[in-house]
Amino acid sequence: KNQVEQSPQSLIILEGKNCTLQCNYTVSPFSNLRWYKQDTGRGPVSLTIMTFSENTKSNGRYTATLDADTKQSSLHITASQLSDSASYICVVSPHTGGFKTIFGAGTRLFVKA
Amino acid sequence: DADVTQTPRNRITKTGKRIMLECSQTKGHDRMYWYRQDPGLGLRLIYYSFDVKDINKGEISDGYSVSRQAQAKFSLSLESAIPNQTALYFCATSDPGPNTGELFFGEGSRLTVL
């Protein structure tokens, strides 16, 4: 069964600190993996996308990594800001003819002053 | 104005009532989707449409129906709402498709069924 699991479920960090969020997936065959940011009361917004051949992608203070062999991805946030408080959702798309994008449940990040 | 607009943003209704959630987009995308989000779960696909004449069931379509009135409009209906349909509903668009393309979400419609 295709699944996407994220850890931790929630995380509290102090402003200015770094953190890393994890995503493990069992989706096969694999097409691409995206990380989305969802602010409270808003829809998710894409941060990064990686295909099978890519192992790192940066977007400002956000850096995503992908290990296709172990089926793991991580999202590293550097020098966190209060505005980073949000849910971060890992989304994996299988390489199929239909539409089977699979969403993780997300990691809820709280950044405190 | 938002590229993907959902109405209403919040709705409280009673069991058995018919509810319609509307979605309109200005992104010019052909593909539109309705998702449901529940606490602790990933977004789940209800229905999707790849063009005006195309409607496809997602993984949790029971109890829901949709209408694609135009390229820019995609509405979700609950014919007889029940309490376990209480959730946050999102409309999304993409072009050419989510297997490669980015999903663009609306702001969400929070539905409470009493």
Side-chain angles (χ1 to χ4, degrees):
Chain A
K1 181 180 178 182
N2 288 334
Q3 288 185 315
V4 176
E5 295 184 351
Q6 294 186 241
S7 62
Q9 283 187 317
S10 63
L11 181 62
I12 302 173
I13 62 173
L14 291 175
E15 187 179 15
K17 298 296 186 182
N18 303 335
C19 67
T20 300
L21 314 180
Q22 301 290 345
C23 173
N24 296 336
Y25 62 93
T26 58
V27 178
S28 182
F30 171 87
S31 176
N32 64 73
L33 184 149
R34 286 186 183 272
W35 283 92
Y36 283 80
K37 179 185 180 187
Q38 183 177 16
D39 292 315
T40 300
R42 309 291 295 273
V45 176
S46 180
L47 289 174
T48 63
I49 177 174
M50 289 178 291
T51 60
F52 182 85
S53 60
E54 297 175 298
N55 56 25
T56 188
K57 185 70 69 77
S58 291
N59 178 359
R61 294 180 297 102
Y62 301 101
T63 299
T65 64
L66 174 65
D67 186 332
D69 291 331
T70 62
K71 294 183 169 58
Q72 295 180 327
S73 177
S74 65
L75 181 69
H76 185 75
I77 304 175
T78 303
S80 61
Q81 300 176 359
L82 297 178
S83 60
D84 292 330
S85 294
S87 289
Y88 292 85
I89 303 172
C90 177
V91 183
V92 181
S93 294
H95 188 65
T96 66
F99 169 50
K100 293 289 184 181
T101 295
I102 300 161
F103 291 76
T107 292
R108 188 73 176 92
L109 175 65
F110 299 89
V111 180
K112 291 193 167 184
Chain B
D1 288 342
D3 292 325
V4 182
T5 302
Q6 293 183 229
T7 57
R9 293 292 312 279
N10 289 283
R11 181 72 184 270
I12 300 173
T13 190
K14 294 182 178 180
T15 297
K17 295 293 187 181
R18 185 177 187 273
I19 296 298
M20 179 180 286
L21 306 180
E22 298 185 340
C23 176
S24 63
Q25 53 115 345
T26 58
K27 297 195 72 68
H29 290 165
D30 288 326
R31 303 186 178 198
M32 298 187 72
Y33 313 83
W34 276 103
Y35 288 93
R36 168 176 173 160
Q37 188 175 44
D38 296 280
L41 298 178
L43 283 153
R44 292 181 292 168
L45 182 64
I46 305 172
Y47 271 96
Y48 62 103
S49 169
F50 284 176
D51 65 41
V52 175
K53 298 179 181 179
D54 177 71
I55 298 292
N56 303 282
K57 291 183 177 181
E59 63 178 299
I60 56 164
S61 59
D62 288 348
Y64 302 94
S65 63
V66 291
S67 174
R68 185 79 184 267
Q69 300 96 323
Q71 187 213 32
K73 296 185 181 296
F74 192 38
S75 60
L76 175 71
S77 294
L78 289 68
E79 295 301 325
S80 180
I82 57 177
N84 75 2
Q85 291 178 313
T86 293
L88 185 56
Y89 291 86
F90 284 101
C91 175
T93 72
S94 74
D95 191 19
N99 281 350
T100 54
E102 178 181 351
L103 286 164
F104 295 87
F105 288 89
E107 300 285 83
S109 295
R110 184 169 295 282
L111 176 65
T112 302
V113 183
L114 302 177

